[in-house]
Amino acid sequence: MKVYKEFKKRRDRLASILDDSVAIIVNSKESIRNKDCHYPFRSESNFHYISGFPEPETIVMIFGGKNPKSIIFCQPKDEVKEVWNGVIIGPEKASKDFLFDEGYPLSAAHKLIPKFIKSKKIFLLPSSRIDRILTPKWFEINNKLREDLSEILDDMRVVKNDFEINLMRRSANISANAHIQAMKLTKPNKYEYEIEGEILNQFFRKGARNPAYSSIVASGINGCTLHYVENDSQMKDGDLLLIDAGCEVGSYASDITRTFPVNGKFSFAQKEIYQLVLSAQKAAIEKVKVGHFFDDPHREALKIIIDGLIDLGILIGSRDEVYEKELYKKFFMHRTSHWLGLDVHDVGKYLSKNNKSQAVKFTEGNVLTIEPGCYIRPSDHVSQEFWGIGVRIEDDVLVTPDGHDVLSKNAPKEIKELEEIIGISNA
Ligand code: GLY
Ligand code: MN
Ligand code: MN
């Protein structure tokens, strides 16, 4: 029951922001994979955030004002369906166990929702999924009073409390351990999917039932494709292996990337690039502090990577020229950070509300990734020893009152540590 109090607290907080308005939040439908088979169901993140209720096609209404309350519309009990698909919670138990003031069967929504909203202002999420469940006709009477709920929920979700941080720590620890096991099993001639299998095995064995996103297990030149997910190449002696993989715990994501040599020994060129990205990553992490701007870590990482690539003769020109002409984007084409939470690319503003040309500042309880990278495709202008090197190093970082805490710190990233671990299950 303790965990449901946490969800009720969030609804109470939302109600206090809503004044006399009402918020309506809907869970998604199941998605069909192919005939009679569904993708594993996962609640829509905002719906999970305010309810913790695990069933699809459910509607929650939260009323602000003098008599705040929250109600739920869900599937009714059905003995026949339950024989096939397991227990349906039902409106009565839903309201009692999940701490709603009232619970109704979904079929009552078309009558009750128009009555409940009358001429109130309604806050809705702009997701297309919502309109597949809510009937737009319900809102015709007060269409002009429709407001966007996402701004309120995004601001709530971007600051994590201890309950959420605890889940994110567990998620990061399970993922860090999976990365270590993957390193131990890596050796030349194995296939990328063997390593992917080990990562999923470790997630499941520790009770994390979902990856937070499709794992990237990319050897050699595959590491230069940012969203490579085929994971079906044979790993070659001399390749690097880039693994970007994280699980979900309590629906909270971790997002970790590690890069290491398949044969356990960095070549000279691989070491140069790896050390450069690692220095940039560490310096970027040091910029994570209350009051610093969201883009401070990226600026720092970029500065170090630009200088390093100029020193190695991979980029030609002065730092200013490379920066202004964005020549670095050939090798470092993505940003260093995104918010992390219920969604791997979590909600939350990146730009200040009052000054859209300025990044937001960090506050205590923010969680973000720090993930600079460097990807070198074969090119006439680059010495051949660097071709096919793709390196990204990604950690999950919590903003604390006096600095930061790297939630994913258990995943090794120093060259010496990596060289010691790789392949030790195969020795
Ligand atoms: N794994 C997705 C990302 O790193 O943003
Ligand atoms: Mn990632
Ligand atoms: Mn990421």
Side-chain angles (χ1 to χ4, degrees):
M1 202 57 85
K2 189 164 169 275
V3 342
Y4 299 121
K5 279 198 186 140
E6 169 70 21
F7 295 103
K8 177 160 169 20
K9 252 176 21 199
R10 296 174 190 171
R11 291 196 294 277
D12 291 347
R13 192 162 149 227
L14 176 57
S16 73
I17 298 170
L18 285 173
D19 283 333
D20 216 15
S21 314
V22 55
I24 305 181
I25 305 168
V26 174
N27 208 0
S28 19
K29 288 186 175 188
E30 286 193 282
S31 296
I32 293 173
R33 181 175 185 274
N34 59 325
K35 190 168 162 42
D36 294 340
C37 297
H38 292 92
Y39 285 104
F41 180 72
R42 191 230 189 236
S43 287
E44 194 277 323
S45 296
N46 290 298
F47 182 86
H48 175 75
Y49 183 75
I50 52 85
S51 74
F53 192 74
E55 294 179 4
E57 290 189 64
T58 304
I59 303 172
V60 162
M61 296 180 81
I62 297 163
F63 297 80
K66 284 204 197 74
N67 300 304
K69 65 173 179 179
S70 62
I71 66 179
I72 185 162
F73 295 89
C74 57
Q75 303 292 336
K77 298 288 287 175
D78 182 325
E79 276 180 26
V80 176
K81 277 193 194 162
E82 291 185 52
V83 167
W84 287 90
N85 299 325
V87 173
I88 296 172
I89 295 166
E92 202 177 309
K93 201 166 158 51
S95 58
K96 190 162 160 273
D97 288 3
F98 291 78
L99 312 177
F100 285 89
D101 298 291
E102 295 161 29
Y104 301 98
L106 199 59
S107 57
H110 74 283
K111 259 206 189 131
L112 293 181
I113 289 184
K115 198 172 117 197
F116 287 155
I117 58 183
K118 284 195 211 114
S119 57
K120 280 182 187 298
K121 189 157 65 173
I122 329 163
F123 281 81
L124 291 171
L125 290 162
S127 154
S128 58
R129 286 177 172 179
I130 286 167
D131 289 330
R132 285 162 57 196
I133 295 165
L134 298 177
T135 308
K137 224 169 74 192
W138 298 343
F139 307 110
E140 270 168 15
I141 38 172
N142 57 0
N143 224 1
K144 290 199 192 68
L145 298 174
R146 238 178 119 143
E147 297 270 343
D148 183 2
L149 179 60
S150 58
E151 209 169 297
I152 300 174
L153 281 180
D154 291 1
D155 285 351
M156 287 173 70
R157 280 176 54 188
V158 79
V159 177
K160 277 76 179 171
N161 67 10
D162 287 347
F163 176 91
E164 296 171 288
I165 290 164
N166 184 33
L167 292 173
M168 294 191 77
R169 268 188 211 290
R170 283 169 51 199
S171 181
N173 280 335
I174 292 173
S175 297
N177 173 64
H179 276 265
I180 294 171
Q181 297 307 319
M183 290 167 190
K184 287 184 181 173
L185 282 180
T186 296
K187 69 170 183 175
N189 300 325
K190 281 193 173 181
Y191 282 84
E192 293 163 348
Y193 49 68
E194 294 179 69
I195 305 303
E196 181 185 15
E198 177 59 17
I199 287 165
L200 294 175
N201 178 30
Q202 292 298 330
F203 290 172
F204 276 46
R205 289 174 67 133
K206 297 283 157 44
R209 302 302 307 280
N210 295 298
Y213 53 93
S214 301
S215 307
I216 297 169
V217 182
S219 60
I221 188 75
N222 298 335
C224 295
T225 300
L226 298 180
H227 291 163
Y228 174 81
V229 286
E230 287 78 3
N231 302 348
D232 58 1
S233 294
Q234 195 171 21
M235 302 185 291
K236 292 198 281 298
D237 202 343
D239 280 351
L240 286 178
L241 181 65
L242 182 158
I243 300 181
D244 185 345
C247 65
E248 271 185 8
V249 171
S251 298
Y252 282 83
S254 44
D255 183 8
I256 303 178
T257 308
R258 290 293 182 265
T259 311
F260 52 88
V262 165
N263 64 12
K265 194 86 195 131
F266 283 90
S267 71
F268 178 79
Q270 289 168 347
K271 203 179 262 185
E272 290 287 324
I273 300 297
Y274 187 87
Q275 199 54 58
L276 177 59
V277 176
L278 184 60
S279 305
Q281 202 241 8
K282 287 181 179 171
I285 290 174
E286 288 310 309
K287 293 287 172 187
V288 179
K289 252 186 204 151
V290 170
H292 282 194
F293 290 106
F294 183 88
D295 56 2
D296 286 346
H298 181 63
R299 282 176 198 282
E300 188 68 11
L302 195 52
K303 205 167 65 187
I304 291 171
I305 287 180
I306 289 175
D307 284 351
L309 291 180
I310 292 172
D311 287 347
L312 289 169
I314 294 173
L315 276 170
I316 312 290
S318 67
R319 182 202 277 177
D320 288 348
E321 188 189 358
V322 167
Y323 187 79
E324 270 148 33
K325 293 188 180 159
E326 298 189 338
L327 303 177
Y328 59 85
K329 283 197 172 168
K330 185 172 170 195
F331 306 107
F332 179 24
M333 61 296 279
H334 57 76
R335 303 287 296 183
T336 297
S337 304
H338 54 79
W339 297 126
L340 184 72
L342 285 170
D343 295 314
V344 63
H345 291 177
D346 207 27
V347 295
K349 280 195 281 293
Y350 289 102
L351 296 175
S352 152
K353 200 172 175 179
N354 303 325
N355 178 358
K356 291 278 187 243
S357 62
Q358 196 167 71
V360 289
K361 286 184 177 171
F362 294 127
T363 57
E364 186 186 339
N366 287 155
V367 181
L368 66 149
T369 64
I370 297 287
E371 50 176 309
C374 188
Y375 314 88
I376 308 176
R377 291 172 176 278
S379 146
D380 290 345
H381 311 288
V382 176
S383 163
Q384 202 164 342
E385 61 186 327
F386 294 107
W387 290 8
I389 292 180
V391 174
R392 179 163 66 255
I393 307 170
E394 176 173 28
D395 278 306
D396 304 340
V397 184
L398 165 72
V399 183
T400 61
D402 50 5
H404 56 258
D405 184 8
V406 179
L407 302 179
S408 49
K409 54 180 165 271
N410 290 345
K413 61 184 175 184
E414 297 298 332
I415 287 181
K416 195 164 168 290
E417 292 175 296
L418 296 173
E419 290 190 340
E420 274 169 21
I421 296 170
I422 296 152
I424 62 169
S425 298
N426 303 292

